[in-house]
Amino acid sequence: MCKQMRLRNITGSDETIKNSKYVVTNPTEYKGKWNEIFGNENPVQIEIGMGKGQFIMELADRNPNINYIGMEKYSSVLLRALQKMEQKEVPNLRFLCEDAKLLKEYFAEGELDQIYLNFSDPWPKDRHAKRRLPSKEFLALYDHILRKDGKIEFKTDNRLLFDFAVEQLALTKWSAEKLTYDLHHDQEMVEGNIMTEYEEKFSSKGNPICKYIISRTK
Ligand code: SAH
């Protein structure tokens, strides 16, 4: 393999990402001062595991007075979002090619205004439960970086993952303000809904979409 393959990978996505003005490649240096990146004092919201970015790009476009960060672990996936951004720049959006487990290194206490999790990886094996983005371990991380009255929104078609996510709440400070097992038929919750790539794919197969909005109201 591997020299050639690795080289191709580097010139393909890693290098592009390193050189892109839309990607923050040194996020630890901005801990506590993300507003410097955006050049204003507007609130900052994040999608963790954004994939190709359809949701966060539309959300940012609709809300120019909020700043957004799209976080995606894999450069090959993030590249798709970058390509879209080059076609149509969204000024209040930046990307991070990082792993969510390091969130505390990138954001100060209470620095974020809202967190979105969409179609997070299910990690079906019990011993991998901690890796699930709505796990109690991740909820503790979010508790640190999200402002006190901040909310987390989570959508998935994976009923097992959603049931797990709901069960986890009882073990944490978080509780559900709103919850549905069929978002697209819930008149109130579907209002203003922005479809993600996975949501389009799985709902077109007939899968109902589950969603909760949680906060620390206990
Ligand atoms: N939100 C998109 C993609 C869902 S797939 C959509 O709804 O269409 C889940 C994505 O989360 C994948 O792209 C995966 O690489 C990313 N991801 C999983 N774990 C992550 C982590 N710990 N940190 C950052 N991204 C992660």
Side-chain angles (χ1 to χ4, degrees):
M1 146 178 185
C2 224
K3 199 169 169 199
Q4 228 183 353
M5 278 181 69
R6 226 181 293 138
L7 214 59
R8 206 186 310 145
N9 189 33
I10 288 169
T11 49
S13 49
D14 289 351
E15 193 68 10
T16 312
I17 278 166
K18 218 176 75 191
N19 294 324
S20 169
K21 59 180 175 184
Y22 305 118
V23 182
V24 179
T25 49
N26 50 348
T28 49
E29 288 170 35
Y30 288 96
K31 183 173 175 171
K33 36 189 177 181
W34 280 83
N35 285 314
E36 287 180 10
I37 294 218
F38 295 101
N40 59 47
E41 294 297 316
N42 293 342
V44 182
Q45 306 189 350
I46 189 170
E47 182 185 8
I48 303 170
M50 71 157 179
K52 298 176 193 164
Q54 173 171 302
F55 170 87
I56 193 93
M57 292 184 86
E58 174 64 24
L59 186 66
D61 202 42
R62 286 190 198 176
N63 299 288
N65 296 329
I66 300 175
N67 299 319
Y68 293 91
I69 299 169
M71 178 183 234
E72 168 55 51
K73 187 163 63 168
Y74 290 111
S75 59
S76 55
V77 184
L78 176 58
L79 190 62
R80 303 288 162 213
L82 275 187
Q83 287 164 345
K84 285 187 228 164
M85 190 85 146
E86 267 147 31
Q87 299 287 312
K88 180 181 182 281
E89 196 187 48
V90 185
N92 53 329
L93 174 63
R94 294 291 184 282
F95 300 120
L96 270 184
C97 193
E98 308 290 343
D99 193 312
K101 66 185 182 196
L102 297 175
L103 276 167
K104 267 189 180 173
E105 322 229 336
Y106 309 140
F107 299 100
E109 200 176 336
E111 188 166 21
L112 292 173
D113 176 70
Q114 185 144 334
I115 295 176
Y116 301 90
L117 306 172
N118 291 316
F119 296 80
S120 309
D121 295 334
W123 293 104
K125 292 187 178 131
D126 281 347
R127 67 186 156 87
H128 291 147
K130 283 185 194 169
R131 297 185 192 176
R132 298 172 192 153
L133 292 181
S135 68
K136 62 181 190 315
E137 289 79 10
F138 271 105
L139 289 174
L141 255 182
Y142 308 148
D143 180 40
H144 185 80
I145 59 176
L146 195 65
R147 72 182 166 89
K148 280 295 163 238
D149 53 349
K151 298 181 201 304
I152 302 174
E153 300 197 8
F154 170 49
K155 291 196 273 192
T156 181
D157 72 316
N158 186 313
R159 182 61 190 264
L160 284 174
L161 179 65
F162 192 69
D163 287 344
F164 166 83
V166 171
E167 283 162 19
Q168 293 286 285
L169 299 178
L171 311 171
T172 69
K173 304 179 182 176
W174 300 89
S175 55
E177 285 185 2
K178 290 183 185 162
L179 183 152
T180 177
Y181 293 94
D182 191 358
L183 175 64
H184 295 175
H185 295 101
D186 183 310
Q187 266 189 25
E188 189 200 335
M189 284 187 81
V190 79
E191 210 192 305
N193 185 51
I194 296 172
M195 298 265 256
T196 79
E197 277 96 352
Y198 276 53
E199 186 171 355
E200 281 181 350
K201 184 168 146 196
F202 293 120
S203 63
S204 73
K205 288 185 182 170
N207 298 5
I209 308 301
C210 303
K211 177 174 179 175
Y212 73 37
I213 300 175
I214 61 171
S215 59
R216 285 154 292 185
T217 46
K218 276 181 215 167

